[in-house]
Amino acid sequence: MENVYLAIPLAPLFGAIVAGLFGKQIGRAGAHTVTILGVAVSFVLSLVVLKQFAVDGADPYNASVYTWMVSDGVRFEIGFLIDNLTALMITVVSFVSLMVHIYTIGYMHDDPGYQRFFSYIALFTFSMLMLVMSNNFLQLFFGWEAVGLVSYLLIGFWYKRPTAIYANLKAFLVNRVGDFGFLLGIGAIYMAFNSMDYATVFAAAPAMESASFEIFSGVEWSLLTVICIFLFIGAMGKSAQVPLHVWLPDSMEGPTPISALIHAATMVTAGIFMVARMSPLFELSETALSFVLVIGAITALFMGLLGVVQNDIKRVIAYSTLSQLGYMTVALGASAYAAGIFHLMTHAFFKALLFLAAGSVIIAMHHDQDIRNMGGLRKYMPITWFTSLIGSLALIGTPFFSGFYSKDTIIEAVHHSHLAGAGIAYWAVLIGVFITALYSFRMYFLVFHGKPRMDEHTREHLRETPWVVTVPLILLAIPSVLSGYLIDPVVFGDWFNGVLHVAPGHDVLGVIGEHYHGPLSFVLHALAGPAVYLAGAGVATAWYIYMKNPAIADNIAQRFRGLYTLLVNKYYADDFNEAVFAGGARNVGRLLWRVGDALIIDGLIVNGSARVVGWVASVVRQVQSGYLYHYAFSMIIGLLLLLFWFVFIAQRVGA
């Protein structure tokens, strides 16, 4: 099976190399054919691996395939850990990526960078697969940085647009902050465990539970708490948690297919996967878990609020991603790792569906992304309309749709948690249900229902998009409904036994599982709680405000002008970063230039030395008068000085 495991990431890499280096020779058709075949091979082999674990009960595979370096007895290797978590992740990543690749044929049809784009998205898939298949921190960090690099290239794909360059630079810089914390966490692991291998570190971790060290003299810090918080700071960058969330909405500057891939199955899910994989470490620090829980709750609630005031169709979905990542993070903090991964999986399907449906709308609208200029698209684009409805219903947690099972499990898990901050987190995710329904169906109603608000030229040319766009929508709509029924094995079954580790006192899913009796029973149980009704209230509110009485929205914006301005300006996070961090960096640069460069280097060293030489030259120049008697007089004076030295000074020194 080792060859199969190798082929899963290498097949997309092969396609990326061929399309990237030989794109002109093989043409557009050749570029999309080789990359789609590579990802398709990866998906088929992922299904084979999933079948081995789900049906055949295969044992986990943990082995090294290449040793990069051995230093002081520590091995730095490329290796694979293939277990139930890996099998689930590689299947989701390769399937969503395959849908995005097919969709890209239609969306990027007329783009001059066609071959380059296919090369990038195939390389993105390879990077994410290497990350989730890793069995050690070296390879994890390689995949971690590789998805960051390719996301930089893809967000700035349209590099002639200043906004795209600004967005990819912003993503790069913000992720460097998170990656610095991540690297410190890996360094601390290397220092404490003298190993980079998962299995070795996880096995030794319980013995280090009470270990502490001093960062500052006289202050003891829990070693595992520091390690886990540093690792989670890395996750905050990749998975866009407050305050390192600011890059993700701007990533919409990239083409829509990459927005779907980043937000659904690759980069932003890397942090969620990493924390779940590190569960043997996080379970040994309640402080770290509480930190994760609170950060996730803040992100889930406050990023959802921003989605209500957005008018760009892609940005509405982007803030939805931020909020849903907050839900996943809350699950991790509550030790409901299986629920977090389950929501990662269901979210990958319906969020990719929503992004690709938004792209379909953008194509039909001639790349106008403002939902205020849409309306009534239902009769022109029936497939896009229906699949968007499915995605929206799954997103808000409608019973019997996939998002319902994963999101409600998280809400229940937080409700049963006894960690510090769990009470606040519960109310945050509960209120977030109403907000999610409000912004989701605000977008849905404004785009597909009501009076058409586009110009006459656009309306005359409205039609459903080609099959290469609509087929991926249909294929993604299916798991957006059905994947929720995997709750039995994934969340309440034994799918993650021995893979995700939960301390007995933190097993909230075990408590919920005692009352779980199947998907239908789960729906009936949820009907006794507030979440379903909050989602319904959000839909009803969106319909009444934006369909029946649109003036209400303007009245609310005027009456609560301060709050509205705060939301429109995204809590002034970008302004703060621009003024404090970017502005501060520029001010430090100016200070260094004025003092170091202008004053010391130019003023003292370069120009100063030139002035000294000039002064010495001016003095020496006075000696060169050109008169013979001046030179004779100077020689006599010099001779007298030498005689004086030898007669008087030398004698005294000798005495």
Side-chain angles (χ1 to χ4, degrees), residues 66-275:
Y66 172 71
T67 299
W68 177 56
M69 181 177 69
V70 179
S71 176
D72 292 333
V74 179
R75 303 180 68 86
F76 295 84
E77 300 173 327
I78 301 298
F80 294 145
L81 172 58
I82 311 297
D83 55 16
N84 293 45
L85 175 59
T86 310
L88 183 67
M89 287 296 299
I90 60 177
T91 303
V92 171
V93 171
S94 57
F95 173 70
V96 173
S97 179
L98 180 60
M99 295 301 101
V100 169
H101 274 70
I102 296 171
Y103 176 94
T104 300
I105 297 174
Y107 192 89
M108 302 292 287
H109 183 266
D110 298 320
D111 197 283
Y114 190 85
Q115 294 97 315
R116 178 165 58 95
F117 188 81
F118 272 98
S119 175
Y120 285 172
I121 57 177
L123 187 61
F124 206 6
T125 306
F126 158 76
S127 302
M128 187 64 184
L129 290 171
M130 287 294 286
L131 188 155
V132 300
M133 295 174 70
S134 61
N135 74 340
N136 62 83
F137 289 94
L138 172 68
Q139 184 174 329
L140 174 68
F141 188 72
F142 164 77
W144 194 267
E145 292 303 310
V147 294
L149 169 63
V150 185
S151 69
Y152 171 82
L153 297 173
L154 285 164
I155 293 169
F157 181 78
W158 286 320
Y159 56 86
K160 294 183 180 180
R161 299 181 181 179
T163 52
I165 297 303
Y166 176 81
N168 73 350
L169 181 61
K170 187 176 183 180
F172 180 82
L173 292 175
V174 173
N175 274 277
R176 294 292 68 73
V177 176
D179 292 354
F180 180 66
F182 188 58
L183 191 58
L184 288 176
I186 294 176
I189 288 172
Y190 177 78
M191 175 193 73
F193 297 96
N194 200 37
S195 176
M196 300 291 281
D197 181 69
Y198 289 167
T200 303
V201 172
F202 295 162
M208 305 288 287
E209 184 174 5
S210 59
S212 62
F213 70 111
E214 293 184 2
I215 299 179
F216 306 106
S217 179
V219 181
E220 293 287 331
W221 295 73
S222 167
L223 175 63
L224 289 179
T225 296
V226 170
I227 287 174
C228 290
I229 290 178
F230 275 146
L231 292 176
F232 181 66
I233 289 173
M236 288 169 65
K238 280 290 181 289
S239 294
Q241 297 297 289
V242 172
L244 301 182
H245 67 284
V246 292
W247 68 270
L248 191 59
D250 288 344
S251 70
M252 296 301 97
E253 290 297 330
T256 297
I258 194 53
S259 299
L261 198 55
I262 288 178
H263 287 243
T266 51
M267 184 168 171
V268 298
T269 61
I272 306 301
F273 164 80
M274 183 273 293
V275 174

Side-chain angles (χ1 to χ4, degrees), residues 22-44:
F22 307 103
K24 290 184 178 180
Q25 288 80 3
I26 62 177
R28 290 173 169 244
H32 71 235
T33 299
V34 71
T35 51
I36 289 174
L37 281 176
V39 177
V41 168
S42 181
F43 173 58
V44 171

